[in-house]
Amino acid sequence: MPELPEVEIVKQSLLNEVKNQKINKVNVFNRNLRYKIQKGFEDFFKNQKILNISRRSKFIIFHFKNKNYCILHLGMSGTLHLLKNDYPSNSTNLSFYQSKLLPKKHNHVVFYFFKFKLVYNDPRRFGFFKLIDSKYKLDNFFKPFFPEALDKKFNLDYIKNKLKYKSKNIKNFLLDQKFVSGIGNIYASEILYYCKINPLKKGKNLNIKDIKNIIKYTKIVLKNAIKSGGSSIKDFKNTKGKSGNFQKEFKVYDRDNLKCLKKSCNGIIKKIDINNRSTFYCNNCQK
DNA sequence: CCGTTAACCTGAGAGC
DNA sequence: TGCTCTCAGGTTAACG
């Protein structure tokens, strides 16, 4: 589900709601997420105050005292929900701001605070939690996911060297979190549209102008998406149950067979399959 | 090492 | 209504 902008919105919601709040108790109803929830997970949080919440690429990081951290990845369908405390833990249909029915069987982890609880719901269970007990291990964990799309290190020299001699197409590069982290399937198509680059163009065939455009529009697209509150296709909501609006600004994603939105372009948006992922592009202005 | 495929899992929606 | 099929915003082991 969530790419960098959506995860950023979730993080911001969490900062508003649970920063400096103490966790009284944690219940795990299903340990079988992408990686099994480890033994001792529940005890890790007992009476711990959440000192800060940050984000790296598509990961949310909860900070605790003594350099303890909990990393959360939302996978495709993971969501967090704030619920009032005086409902049974597996009752799901009341958030603070919006009544929304959520299949309670997918509530896998619940964090109890003084007046409310934070519920992790994830139908497909591609998300995961990971506990980390030192700053060194935290940095190590993120080492492969560098640079992040918004990082200054995602620059001309870096990209030029990485793409040199490579036959892999640029769409796949943008999705490769070890090449650049934070971009997912929606924003990869959107970014390449603004760059006027065909998603199948090989890494080695990108010219300097292409690369400069990728740097420029990666940042513009992601930042604008954050400003719009992220994209809500099916189930993305912030923790207040509010949807994002960026999907209204999609230029190519989910617009197959429609006209290119660029004035003076007579192209049609095509949908193709690249490595089992839907990819959208204009057949006229993306070369 | 490089690039591609299949697999992990459930639910929504289309088509019949 | 109900069955079957396809597809979904992510990642990664395994393969050639």
Side-chain angles (χ1 to χ4, degrees), chain A residues 35 56-61 70-73 128-132 134-146 178:
Chain A
Y35 306 116
R56 279 288 298 276
S57 56
K58 300 176 187 172
F59 297 87
I60 293 167
I61 310 163
C70 174
I71 294 175
L72 168 61
H73 192 293
F128 65 89
F129 290 88
K130 182 176 174 61
L131 303 180
I132 288 188
S134 77
K135 182 69 166 52
Y136 174 76
K137 289 179 188 169
L138 185 76
D139 292 341
N140 242 19
F141 179 86
F142 287 114
K143 239 175 212 162
F145 307 106
F146 184 83
K178 288 168 178 140

Coordinates of all heavy atoms in Angstrom, one line a residue, chain A residues 35 56-61 70-73 128-132 134-146 178, chain C residues 11-12:
Chain A
Y35 N 7.5 -11.3 8.8 CA 8.4 -12.0 9.7 C 7.7 -12.3 11.0 O 7.0 -11.4 11.5 CB 9.7 -11.2 9.9 CG 10.4 -10.8 8.7 CD1 10.5 -9.4 8.4 CD2 10.8 -11.7 7.8 CE1 11.1 -9.0 7.2 CE2 11.4 -11.3 6.6 CZ 11.6 -10.0 6.3 OH 12.2 -9.6 5.1
R56 N 12.2 6.4 7.9 CA 13.3 6.2 6.9 C 12.7 5.4 5.8 O 12.2 4.3 6.0 CB 14.4 5.4 7.6 CG 15.4 6.3 8.4 CD 16.2 7.2 7.5 NE 17.1 6.5 6.6 CZ 18.3 6.0 7.0 NH1 18.8 6.2 8.2 NH2 19.0 5.4 6.1
S57 N 12.8 6.0 4.6 CA 12.2 5.4 3.4 C 10.8 4.9 3.7 O 9.9 5.7 4.0 CB 13.0 4.3 2.8 OG 13.3 3.2 3.7
K58 N 10.4 3.7 3.6 CA 9.0 3.3 3.9 C 8.9 2.7 5.3 O 7.9 2.0 5.6 CB 8.6 2.2 2.9 CG 8.6 2.7 1.4 CD 8.2 1.7 0.4 CE 8.4 2.1 -1.0 NZ 8.2 1.0 -2.0
F59 N 9.8 2.9 6.2 CA 9.8 2.4 7.5 C 9.4 3.5 8.5 O 9.8 4.6 8.4 CB 11.1 1.8 8.0 CG 11.5 0.7 7.1 CD1 12.3 0.9 6.0 CD2 11.3 -0.6 7.5 CE1 12.7 -0.2 5.2 CE2 11.7 -1.7 6.8 CZ 12.4 -1.5 5.6
I60 N 8.6 3.1 9.5 CA 8.3 4.0 10.7 C 9.1 3.5 11.8 O 9.3 2.3 12.1 CB 6.8 3.9 11.0 CG1 6.0 4.6 9.9 CG2 6.6 4.7 12.4 CD1 4.5 4.3 10.0
I61 N 9.8 4.4 12.5 CA 10.6 4.1 13.7 C 10.1 4.7 14.9 O 9.9 5.9 15.0 CB 12.1 4.6 13.5 CG1 12.6 4.2 12.1 CG2 13.0 4.0 14.6 CD1 13.8 5.0 11.7
C70 N 11.6 0.4 17.7 CA 10.8 -0.6 17.0 C 10.5 0.0 15.6 O 10.0 1.1 15.4 CB 9.4 -0.7 17.8 SG 8.3 -1.8 16.9
I71 N 10.9 -0.9 14.7 CA 10.7 -0.5 13.3 C 9.4 -1.2 12.8 O 9.1 -2.3 13.1 CB 11.8 -1.0 12.4 CG1 13.1 -0.3 12.8 CG2 11.5 -0.9 10.9 CD1 14.3 -0.8 12.0
L72 N 8.6 -0.4 12.0 CA 7.4 -1.0 11.4 C 7.4 -0.7 9.9 O 7.6 0.4 9.5 CB 6.1 -0.3 12.1 CG 4.8 -0.5 11.4 CD1 4.4 -2.0 11.4 CD2 3.7 0.3 12.1
H73 N 7.1 -1.8 9.2 CA 6.9 -1.6 7.7 C 5.4 -2.1 7.5 O 5.0 -3.1 8.0 CB 7.9 -2.5 7.0 CG 7.9 -2.2 5.5 ND1 6.8 -2.5 4.7 CD2 8.8 -1.7 4.7 CE1 7.1 -2.1 3.4 NE2 8.3 -1.6 3.4
F128 N 5.6 -5.8 8.8 CA 6.3 -6.5 10.0 C 6.8 -5.5 11.0 O 6.9 -4.3 10.7 CB 7.4 -7.3 9.5 CG 8.6 -6.6 8.8 CD1 9.6 -6.1 9.6 CD2 8.6 -6.3 7.5 CE1 10.6 -5.4 9.0 CE2 9.6 -5.6 6.9 CZ 10.6 -5.2 7.6
F129 N 7.0 -5.9 12.2 CA 7.6 -5.2 13.2 C 9.0 -5.8 13.5 O 9.2 -7.0 13.4 CB 6.8 -5.3 14.6 CG 5.5 -4.6 14.5 CD1 4.4 -5.2 14.1 CD2 5.4 -3.3 15.0 CE1 3.1 -4.6 14.1 CE2 4.2 -2.6 15.0 CZ 3.0 -3.3 14.5
K130 N 9.9 -4.9 13.8 CA 11.3 -5.4 14.2 C 11.8 -4.6 15.4 O 11.8 -3.4 15.3 CB 12.2 -5.4 13.0 CG 13.6 -5.9 13.3 CD 14.5 -5.9 12.1 CE 15.9 -6.3 12.4 NZ 16.1 -7.6 13.0
L131 N 12.2 -5.3 16.4 CA 12.8 -4.6 17.6 C 14.3 -4.4 17.4 O 15.0 -5.4 17.0 CB 12.5 -5.3 18.9 CG 11.0 -5.6 19.2 CD1 10.9 -6.4 20.5 CD2 10.2 -4.3 19.2
I132 N 14.9 -3.3 17.8 CA 16.3 -3.0 17.7 C 16.8 -2.4 19.0 O 16.1 -1.5 19.5 CB 16.5 -2.1 16.5 CG1 16.3 -2.9 15.2 CG2 17.9 -1.5 16.5 CD1 16.7 -2.3 13.9
S134 N 20.0 -1.0 19.7 CA 21.1 -0.1 19.7 C 21.1 0.8 18.5 O 20.6 0.4 17.4 CB 22.5 -0.8 19.8 OG 22.9 -1.3 18.6
K135 N 21.7 2.0 18.6 CA 21.8 2.9 17.5 C 22.6 2.3 16.4 O 22.3 2.4 15.2 CB 22.5 4.2 17.9 CG 22.6 5.3 16.9 CD 21.2 5.8 16.5 CE 21.3 7.1 15.7 NZ 22.1 7.1 14.5
Y136 N 23.7 1.5 16.7 CA 24.5 0.9 15.7 C 23.7 -0.1 14.9 O 23.8 -0.1 13.7 CB 25.6 0.1 16.5 CG 26.5 -0.7 15.5 CD1 27.4 -0.1 14.7 CD2 26.3 -2.1 15.5 CE1 28.2 -0.8 13.8 CE2 27.1 -2.8 14.6 CZ 28.1 -2.2 13.8 OH 28.8 -3.0 12.9
K137 N 22.9 -0.9 15.6 CA 22.1 -1.9 14.8 C 21.0 -1.2 14.0 O 20.7 -1.7 12.9 CB 21.4 -2.9 15.8 CG 22.4 -3.8 16.4 CD 21.6 -4.8 17.4 CE 22.6 -5.6 18.2 NZ 22.0 -6.3 19.3
L138 N 20.5 -0.1 14.5 CA 19.5 0.7 13.7 C 20.2 1.2 12.4 O 19.6 1.0 11.3 CB 19.0 1.9 14.5 CG 17.9 2.7 13.9 CD1 16.6 1.9 13.9 CD2 17.7 4.0 14.5
D139 N 21.3 1.8 12.5 CA 22.0 2.3 11.3 C 22.3 1.2 10.4 O 22.2 1.3 9.2 CB 23.3 3.0 11.7 CG 23.0 4.3 12.5 OD1 21.9 4.8 12.3 OD2 23.9 4.8 13.2
N140 N 22.7 0.1 10.9 CA 23.1 -1.1 10.1 C 21.9 -1.6 9.3 O 22.0 -2.0 8.2 CB 23.6 -2.2 11.0 CG 25.0 -2.6 10.7 OD1 25.7 -1.8 10.1 ND2 25.4 -3.8 11.1
F141 N 20.7 -1.6 10.0 CA 19.5 -2.1 9.4 C 19.2 -1.2 8.1 O 18.8 -1.8 7.1 CB 18.3 -2.0 10.3 CG 17.0 -2.4 9.7 CD1 16.6 -3.8 9.7 CD2 16.2 -1.5 9.1 CE1 15.4 -4.2 9.2 CE2 15.0 -1.9 8.6 CZ 14.6 -3.3 8.6
F142 N 19.4 0.1 8.2 CA 19.1 0.9 7.1 C 20.1 1.1 6.0 O 19.9 1.7 5.0 CB 18.6 2.3 7.6 CG 17.3 2.3 8.3 CD1 17.1 2.5 9.6 CD2 16.1 1.9 7.5 CE1 15.9 2.4 10.2 CE2 14.9 1.9 8.2 CZ 14.8 2.1 9.5
K143 N 21.3 0.6 6.3 CA 22.4 0.7 5.4 C 22.1 0.3 3.9 O 22.4 1.0 3.0 CB 23.6 -0.1 5.8 CG 24.8 0.8 6.1 CD 26.0 0.1 6.7 CE 26.8 1.0 7.6 NZ 27.7 0.3 8.5
P144 N 21.4 -0.8 3.7 CA 21.1 -1.2 2.3 C 20.1 -0.2 1.6 O 20.1 -0.2 0.4 CB 20.5 -2.6 2.5 CG 20.9 -3.0 3.8 CD 21.0 -1.8 4.7
F145 N 19.3 0.5 2.4 CA 18.3 1.3 1.8 C 18.7 2.7 1.7 O 18.2 3.7 2.2 CB 17.0 1.2 2.7 CG 16.5 -0.1 3.0 CD1 16.7 -0.7 4.2 CD2 15.9 -0.9 2.0 CE1 16.3 -2.0 4.5 CE2 15.5 -2.2 2.3 CZ 15.7 -2.7 3.5
F146 N 19.8 2.9 0.9 CA 20.4 4.2 0.8 C 20.9 4.4 -0.6 O 21.4 3.5 -1.2 CB 21.6 4.3 1.8 CG 22.3 5.6 1.8 CD1 21.8 6.6 2.6 CD2 23.4 5.9 1.0 CE1 22.3 7.9 2.6 CE2 23.9 7.2 1.0 CZ 23.4 8.2 1.8
K178 N 17.3 -0.6 -3.0 CA 18.7 -0.5 -2.7 C 19.4 0.4 -3.7 O 20.5 0.9 -3.5 CB 19.3 -1.9 -2.8 CG 18.9 -2.7 -1.6 CD 19.3 -4.2 -1.7 CE 18.8 -4.8 -0.4 NZ 18.2 -6.1 -0.5
Chain C
dT11 P 9.1 -2.1 -0.2 OP1 9.7 -1.5 1.1 OP2 9.4 -1.5 -1.5 O5' 9.6 -3.6 -0.2 C5' 9.6 -4.3 1.0 C4' 9.8 -5.8 0.8 O4' 9.0 -6.3 -0.3 C3' 11.3 -6.1 0.4 O3' 11.8 -6.9 1.5 C2' 11.1 -7.0 -0.9 C1' 9.7 -7.4 -0.8 N1 9.0 -7.6 -2.1 C2 8.6 -8.9 -2.4 O2 8.8 -9.9 -1.7 N3 7.9 -9.0 -3.6 C4 7.7 -8.0 -4.5 O4 7.1 -8.3 -5.6 C5 8.1 -6.7 -4.2 C7 7.9 -5.6 -5.1 C6 8.8 -6.6 -3.0
dT12 P 13.3 -7.3 1.6 OP1 13.5 -7.5 3.1 OP2 14.1 -6.4 0.8 O5' 13.3 -8.8 0.9 C5' 12.6 -9.8 1.5 C4' 12.8 -11.1 0.7 O4' 12.0 -11.0 -0.6 C3' 14.2 -11.2 0.2 O3' 14.5 -12.6 0.2 C2' 14.2 -10.7 -1.2 C1' 12.9 -11.2 -1.6 N1 12.3 -10.6 -2.8 C2 11.4 -11.4 -3.6 O2 11.2 -12.6 -3.3 N3 10.9 -10.8 -4.7 C4 11.1 -9.5 -5.1 O4 10.6 -9.0 -6.1 C5 12.0 -8.7 -4.3 C7 12.3 -7.3 -4.6 C6 12.5 -9.3 -3.2

